[in-house]
Amino acid sequence: MGATSIHVQAVKPGSEIHNFREKELDYVRPELSHLNESWVGDSISHRLESAKQRYFDTVGQKMQTKAAPIREGVIVIKQET
């Protein structure tokens, strides 16, 4: 069975631009980009505002500046896995 991996980290401000390949990246192999898959249910900015509002409604104070309520993950799965 082949190996798989996952890397999860806090979302950064430029994550959507990076994820949708809206800027050229020197480490991306464009001939393989058509094989990438992604699922998007909502924009990161909209999801963050929603999380901040829920936090305020629940706790009664603003979310801390350094809070990272949204995380994203990259999963590498080979076809033979």
Side-chain angles (χ1 to χ4, degrees), residues 5 14 18 20-21 23 31 48 57 65 75 81:
S5 66
H18 175 270
F20 294 132
R21 304 294 192 253
K23 71 175 186 178
E31 70 274 9
L48 180 58
D57 293 344
T65 309
I75 304 170
T81 304

Side-chain angles (χ1 to χ4, degrees), residues 48-64:
L48 180 58
E49 287 305 314
S50 176
K52 286 180 178 180
Q53 184 61 47
R54 279 196 314 269
Y55 184 86
F56 184 80
D57 293 344
T58 304
V59 178
Q61 66 184 27
K62 289 172 44 176
M63 186 179 287
Q64 294 180 4

Side-chain angles (χ1 to χ4, degrees), residues 4 9-10 27 30 43 49 53 55 63 70-71 77 80:
T4 63
Q9 65 182 13
Y27 56 87
S43 71
E49 287 305 314
Q53 184 61 47
Y55 184 86
M63 186 179 287
I70 302 175
R71 300 196 168 269
I77 303 173
E80 62 272 5

Side-chain angles (χ1 to χ4, degrees), residues 9-12 43-49 51 67-72:
Q9 65 182 13
V11 169
K12 296 176 184 147
S43 71
I44 293 172
S45 59
H46 184 263
R47 193 61 78 158
L48 180 58
E49 287 305 314
I70 302 175
R71 300 196 168 269
E72 65 181 350

Side-chain angles (χ1 to χ4, degrees), residues 23-35:
K23 71 175 186 178
E24 193 164 326
L25 305 165
D26 60 352
Y27 56 87
V28 170
R29 294 177 55 188
E31 70 274 9
L32 298 176
S33 290
H34 71 281
L35 299 173

